[in-house]
Amino acid sequence: MRTSQMSAKNKLNLTIIMGVMTAILAVFNPGAAISSSVSTSGTTIPPAVQIIDSQNNAWTLSASNAVLINGSLAGYSSSVVMLLYYNGVMYQENSAGGWWSWAAGNWTACNDPRSSASGQSGVCGSANGVAANSAPTANLCSSGTPTAISGSGPWGWDCNGTAGGSDAFCSAPLPQNSSVSLSGTTIPPASQIVDIQNNRWALSSTNTVLENGKPAGYTNNVALVLYYNGVIYQKNSAGGWWSWTNGAWLGCSNPNPSVSGVCGSANGSSLSSVPTVNLCSSGVPTAVSGSGPWSWSCNGTNGGGNASCLASLVQNAVVSASGTTIPSAPQIVDSQYNKWTISLANAVLENGSPAGFSSSVALILYYNGVIYQKNSAGSWWSWTNGSWGVSSDPRTSGPGVCGTANGVAVSSAPTSNLCATGSSSAVSGNGTLWYWTCNSINGGTSTSCSAPVQPAAVNGVCGASNGVAIISAPTTNLCSSGVPTSVSGSGPWSWSCDGTSGGSDVSCSAPLKQSVSASGTTVPSASQIVDSQSNIWTLSSISSVLMNGNPAGYSSNVSLILYYNSVIYQKNSSGGWWSWTNGAWLISSDPRSGICGAANGVAVSSAPTANLCNGGTTSAVSGSGPWTWNCTGSNGITAQCSAPSTAVLNNLFGVNLAGAEFGQNFPGTEGLDYAYPTSTELDYYKNKGLTLIRIPFAWERMQPTLNGPLSSTEVGFMTNFLNAADARGMSVILDVHNYGRYGIGSFSDFTSHGNIIGSIQVPVSAFANLWSQLASQFKGHPSLMGYDIMNEPHDMGGAGIWPIAAQAAVNAIRTVDASHTIFVEGDGWAGAWSWMTYNANLNINDSSGNLVYEAHQYFDSDSSGTYTSSYTSEGAYPTVGVDRLQPFASWLTQHNKKGWVGEYGVPNNDSRWLTVLNNFIGALKSNGIWGTYWAGGPWWGSYPLSCEPSSGQDAVQMGVLKNYPSS
């Protein structure tokens, strides 16, 4: 059976009803998704109350102008003036005119997508916001043209619009183990915070702030780390707050203070339906309960108190006429629709509840908008401001009497408590007084009343003289507003600007203009420093830095303030230096120290003559390549500088002499578990022209206890070897052959023994301690060429561990040795072929500029150097080594770095391997890379890669190696 069609009028009515119901649901239950059709492209809020996207999510704006999705915050947003649904994408515009698009659960900066009617706007693709281990190459843009990708994680690119369409900025972060922390997360109790950039924040064991495991600026005695509205804050043990802004800590206050709940203007009002707006002035409103009267609470946040609120139901009764009494009427309805009655116990009731204290009430009177009561003794009271005040019968003849407003100074015309008895005239004013008349009752006399005009409060504000250094007491421009007091003091000078009419006072001061301190002045011995801006710098009683008597940023345990070349520096009790730059302390060094110049570490063909020192006095340049010189600072600290010869760098090849790292027992016994190379080996390789020796040794033998002293026995073995090399004019590179690990005991596989550097058992500081001692011990030996800080680190527990450890070792060496070359191997077994996978972003800073990056390369199928199969089965070919070298060589060229291949070798079982070796060393030489063959040494026996002679016969590999001598 067919039903009749709905009339057009009924359709319109139904549409209106559904719209109203949708709006009501959005207000009272914003978290509930409304089952509705998808909004059309171009829909905005306002005027719409909500938007339904293609996933049936309901989008609204909160009362605080933040974006909500299904009633919950959609990322971080603030001061939003419009939501736009356009071509299936949500956009927001804030009060400053900025635009953002919603993609992958985050807001990304963009332009108004409607800005070009004819063109197509760029829109980020699905790669936007998705964590990736390498730069994304696909799904960059949903529309528009992608630009080249920049960065090394996170990565950024644009999706450029066409024909005038807007562009969109897109990015993809490196993957992290944790999701972004919630706003309000603190350490403690949390163990870490992950910010919106996927940086990890933690507290160190010494109560300093760490970002991704490194110190975040200078911090001390930190008691709390807070992540709030996308910003990192710290609070120290003294209660001070700082925010992390542009890579520095800036003083601030608690961003998340407690707020008490306060009822809004709906509280106490009479309404015909449940209140929905103006529920709270502050705090979070609960659901409204009741059917009239209605009640709700305004709950405080962050520990603030709660407030209970109430709104009454508008009564249907008509307001009682002035003069109505109980009895004879059963009730009185006042102008606020409150119902007044007398209880059985003769007490006054308001809306069924006792109205203050009343007893033996004989009469209730409603007169001129006021409720009165008379008791059985004939006494009268009036209901004023929620309590009963003694009064008289307002209907009897008598004079008008001024109310409590009389004589009270107010800034605007009084409107209440004008007359105690009688009726009030209109209130007038003449600029100094408000005045009115309380007219008599039933023929009595009238009374004139008045209230003085209260001037507006004026706060005291310091004038332009405040804070300006001068040579005598200031007399003008003391206050911008308020009344200045007399100026006191003899430099600095102080005064106050007192507010008027209840306004606040403010204290002002001007410092004494003093002579600028000489460059090099320190506190102590001087009591203060005056900089070129006439700021006065002193040390407080708690060893913090003061500028003009106020804390200069955050400082602690300061032992020295230095004024040098117009810059203020501080040094703390631990020897750390900071410089005052743009209102914050930045990590620095003693500016008076000798500092090597740009010529340091740069290979040249003759002695350098320019750019020798950036600080200090330059000594004469000595040597014939490498060349050395000193930069001596005014504080006596000298930097040792050097420049290698280009001829040496381009033609330096040698051999590893293994043995000192052998064995499975650590430390073990020399001669039983391991052995140092002998003079016999040195003589043989010198005769072959291979005078550069890399000597591997075990950390555990050289330093049997972490952070303990070096073994005098091992130091003796190594010194004897260096002495023998020096006697033959040979150069030695010390190689800690530990694979990024340390462990005492017996191990079947030393390449994965013990615990990794950076673990709790082997902290990075222990690795730095080793190299500080090694460099101090051997830096003066004439045969020492440099330090190979760690052989083939691998599986270090995270991509960032090895760069941190390597930097710590380099820093430790440079504190005691500024001249010798430092060799830094790459992570992932240091493979040249896999360099871009593990070490594309490796960047170690060397204050001396004499650092070489080191790779290793073998030519079997997995580049391991085990050569378990035949030449053919290993997939070898003549230029396999040349090809595997290219990633490392290209990286060196791209980043203008020096390189070295510390290990390469071939077996002696197929002559074709010798071709591979010859081609590889030739490629090293043509790329300006030098290296050492693996390996010679006394204990190799039948090892197929050994280049040791056997029974007086050279190893087959020596036929190639002797063609590439060390000079």
Side-chain angles (χ1 to χ4, degrees):
M1 180 177 66
R2 298 180 63 186
T3 59
S4 61
Q5 293 183 335
M6 184 182 295
S7 71
K9 179 178 181 180
N10 287 339
K11 288 182 179 179
L12 176 60
N13 290 339
L14 180 58
T15 301
I16 294 173
I17 292 170
M18 287 301 293
V20 171
M21 289 300 295
T22 299
I24 292 173
L25 285 172
V27 170
F28 288 100
N29 188 13
I34 305 301
S35 179
S36 181
S37 59
V38 175
S39 300
T40 59
S41 179
T43 301
T44 62
I45 302 175
V49 295
Q50 74 168 4
I51 290 171
I52 305 297
D53 65 17
S54 60
Q55 304 300 316
N56 208 35
N57 296 307
W59 297 78
T60 54
L61 274 179
S62 74
S64 59
N65 295 323
V67 181
L68 305 179
I69 179 174
N70 299 324
S72 299
L73 289 173
Y76 174 74
S77 58
S78 178
S79 303
V80 178
V81 297
M82 185 171 73
L83 276 180
L84 167 66
Y85 186 54
Y86 194 77
N87 289 343
V89 179
M90 290 301 307
Y91 298 86
Q92 57 145 304
E93 180 191 17
N94 67 9
S95 58
W99 282 85
W100 285 264
S101 64
W102 181 257
N106 287 295
W107 293 107
T108 302
C110 66
N111 296 317
D112 186 341
R114 308 164 300 177
S115 59
S116 174
S118 59
Q120 181 184 45
S121 296
V123 178
C124 295
S126 58
N128 181 53
V130 177
N133 286 306
S134 58
T137 58
N139 301 316
L140 300 177
C141 299
S142 296
S143 66
T145 303
T147 62
I149 296 176
S150 61
S152 56
W155 295 273
W157 68 94
D158 291 329
C159 291
N160 293 334
T162 59
S166 60
D167 303 334
F169 175 74
C170 320
S171 66
L174 280 169
Q176 299 288 335
N177 293 330
S178 302
S179 59
V180 175
S181 300
L182 296 175
S183 180
T185 301
T186 61
I187 304 173
S191 60
Q192 71 170 8
I193 290 170
V194 180
D195 67 18
I196 193 66
Q197 303 299 324
N198 280 321
N199 297 309
R200 296 184 182 181
W201 298 81
L203 268 179
S204 74
S205 59
T206 58
N207 295 322
T208 61
V209 180
L210 302 180
E211 180 187 21
N212 298 323
K214 298 180 179 179
Y218 176 77
T219 56
N220 191 36
N221 297 325
V222 178
L224 186 81
V225 181
L226 166 67
Y227 184 54
Y228 189 75
N229 287 345
V231 179
I232 294 292
Y233 297 83
Q234 57 139 311
K235 182 179 79 167
N236 68 8
S237 56
W241 283 86
W242 286 263
S243 65
W244 183 253
T245 306
N246 296 326
W249 294 107
L250 300 181
C252 66
S253 57
N254 185 351
N256 189 22
S258 63
V259 176
S260 296
V262 178
C263 295
S265 58
N267 180 54
S269 60
S270 295
L271 304 170
S272 60
S273 60
V274 60
T276 59
V277 295
N278 301 318
L279 298 176
C280 298
S281 296
S282 66
V284 181
T286 63
V288 179
S289 61
S291 56
W294 297 274
S295 61
W296 66 96
S297 294
C298 292
N299 293 336
T301 59
N302 221 19
N306 303 331
S308 298
C309 316
L310 184 71
S312 61
L313 176 66
V314 172
Q315 303 294 324
N316 294 325
V318 178
V319 176
S320 300
S322 179
T324 302
T325 62
I326 304 173
S328 58
Q331 69 173 9
I332 290 171
V333 179
D334 67 16
S335 60
Q336 302 299 316
Y337 296 99
N338 297 307
K339 293 182 179 181
W340 299 81
T341 54
I342 295 179
S343 72
L344 296 175
N346 295 320
V348 180
L349 303 179
E350 180 187 23
N351 296 321
S353 300
F357 175 75
S358 59
S359 177
S360 302
V361 177
L363 185 80
I364 301 178
L365 166 65
Y366 183 56
Y367 193 78
N368 288 341
V370 179
I371 295 292
Y372 298 83
Q373 61 145 304
K374 182 180 76 168
N375 67 9
S376 57
S379 299
W380 285 83
W381 285 267
S382 64
W383 183 255
T384 306
N385 294 328
S387 63
W388 295 106
V390 176
S391 184
S392 60
D393 188 343
R395 304 167 298 177
T396 59
S397 174
V401 178
C402 295
T404 57
N406 184 56
V408 177
V410 287
S411 58
S412 58
T415 57
S416 60
N417 301 317
L418 300 174
C419 298
T421 61
S423 59
S424 171
S425 68
V427 178
S428 302
N430 60 13
T432 58
L433 285 175
W434 306 104
Y435 52 87
W436 66 95
T437 300
C438 290
N439 297 316
S440 63
I441 303 172
N442 297 330
T445 59
S446 299
T447 302
S448 296
C449 313
S450 65
V453 174
Q454 172 70 54
V458 177
N459 294 328
V461 178
C462 295
S465 291
N466 181 55
V468 177
I470 51 177
I471 61 175
S472 61
T475 58
T476 60
N477 299 318
L478 298 176
C479 299
S480 295
S481 65
V483 180
T485 63
S486 59
V487 178
S488 62
S490 56
W493 295 273
S494 60
W495 67 96
S496 295
C497 293
D498 293 342
T500 60
S501 300
S504 60
D505 303 335
V506 65
S507 297
C508 317
S509 65
L512 174 65
K513 188 172 184 178
Q514 305 196 40
S515 299
V516 176
S517 300
S519 179
T521 301
T522 62
V523 178
S525 55
S527 60
Q528 68 177 15
I529 290 170
V530 181
D531 67 17
S532 59
Q533 304 299 316
S534 295
N535 296 306
I536 298 176
W537 298 80
T538 55
L539 267 179
S540 74
S541 59
I542 58 172
S543 298
S544 63
V545 180
L546 303 180
M547 180 174 69
N548 300 322
N550 297 314
Y554 176 76
S555 59
S556 178
N557 299 322
V558 178
S559 61
L560 186 81
I561 304 177
L562 167 66
Y563 185 54
Y564 194 78
N565 289 343
S566 299
V567 178
I568 294 291
Y569 296 85
Q570 60 143 306
K571 181 178 80 166
N572 67 10
S573 57
S574 299
W577 284 85
W578 285 263
S579 63
W580 182 255
T581 306
N582 296 326
W585 294 107
L586 301 180
I587 294 175
S588 183
S589 59
D590 188 340
R592 305 165 300 178
S593 302
I595 302 173
C596 295
N600 183 53
V602 177
V604 288
S605 59
S606 60
T609 58
N611 301 317
L612 300 176
C613 296
N614 282 342
T617 303
T618 307
S619 70
V621 177
S622 62
S624 56
W627 293 272
T628 61
W629 66 96
N630 292 333
C631 297
T632 302
S634 61
N635 59 355
I637 297 177
T638 298
Q640 299 173 330
C641 318
S642 67
S645 169
T646 53
V648 171
L649 284 176
N650 290 329
N651 296 283
L652 199 54
F653 293 95
V655 65
N656 287 269
L657 291 186
E661 85 285 16
F662 278 14
Q664 297 181 338
N665 299 314
F666 296 89
T669 302
E670 202 275 340
L672 179 64
D673 296 294
Y674 64 100
Y676 277 79
T678 67
S679 57
T680 301
E681 278 82 32
L682 292 175
D683 288 336
Y684 172 75
Y685 289 105
K686 179 184 178 181
N687 290 334
K688 296 299 182 181
L690 301 175
T691 59
L692 173 61
I693 304 299
R694 177 178 181 251
I695 179 167
F697 62 94
W699 180 358
E700 295 83 357
R701 291 168 181 154
M702 187 63 71
Q703 188 182 40
T705 302
L706 284 177
N707 296 308
L710 300 182
S711 165
S712 59
T713 301
E714 291 296 315
V715 168
F717 290 149
M718 186 64 75
T719 302
N720 291 339
F721 178 77
L722 292 171
N723 290 340
D726 180 49
R728 291 160 175 80
M730 304 176 78
S731 300
V732 178
I733 297 171
L734 302 182
D735 163 37
V736 176
H737 210 79
N738 271 66
Y739 304 91
R741 288 151 170 78
Y742 181 96
I744 298 294
S746 297
F747 305 98
S748 59
D749 181 9
F750 188 63
T751 65
S752 298
H753 78 296
N755 298 292
I756 61 172
I757 299 171
S759 63
I760 295 175
Q761 298 85 352
V762 187
V764 170
S765 59
F767 185 46
N769 173 270
L770 168 70
W771 273 111
S772 177
Q773 294 195 60
L774 285 173
S776 297
Q777 179 67 46
F778 296 114
K779 66 179 180 180
H781 204 286
S783 69
L784 178 69
M785 168 169 278
Y787 311 105
D788 185 346
I789 62 174
M790 180 55 62
N791 180 73
E792 296 184 357
H794 67 91
D795 300 303
M796 298 294 290
I801 302 296
W802 173 237
I804 293 172
Q807 187 66 67
V810 170
N811 294 345
I813 292 171
R814 288 303 180 224
T815 60
V816 297
D817 183 352
S819 61
H820 283 97
T821 304
I822 299 175
F823 300 86
V824 177
E825 300 190 26
D827 200 356
W829 304 89
W833 69 281
S834 60
W835 190 266
M836 296 304 295
T837 300
Y838 296 100
N839 303 293
N841 299 316
L842 184 60
N843 185 27
I844 305 301
N845 296 316
D846 178 15
S847 59
S848 295
N850 190 13
L851 185 142
V852 175
Y853 290 89
E854 178 181 345
H856 293 177
Q857 187 58 59
Y858 294 95
F859 316 119
D860 46 352
S861 60
D862 59 0
S863 293
S864 66
T866 55
Y867 293 97
T868 57
S869 299
S870 66
Y871 179 92
T872 302
S873 297
E874 295 287 3
Y877 53 93
T879 59
V880 61
V882 177
D883 294 342
R884 293 185 185 180
L885 176 65
Q886 286 313 301
F888 180 57
S890 298
W891 183 86
L892 293 172
T893 300
Q894 178 184 355
H895 296 281
N896 195 27
K897 304 294 187 183
K898 293 176 287 188
W900 181 54
V901 177
E903 292 184 18
Y904 49 87
V906 296
N908 56 13
N909 56 14
D910 192 317
S911 62
R912 289 177 291 179
W913 285 118
L914 301 179
T915 302
V916 171
L917 177 62
N918 187 66
N919 290 339
F920 178 74
I921 301 178
L924 289 178
K925 189 171 183 179
S926 64
N927 281 281
I929 302 171
W930 34 296
T932 47
Y933 181 84
W934 184 268
W939 280 14
W940 278 127
S942 61
Y943 179 52
L945 275 66
S946 172
C947 60
E948 281 286 309
S950 177
S951 301
Q953 297 296 316
D954 287 347
V956 295
Q957 295 93 330
M958 187 56 66
V960 175
L961 298 178
K962 66 183 180 182
N963 296 325
Y964 298 94
S966 298
S967 61

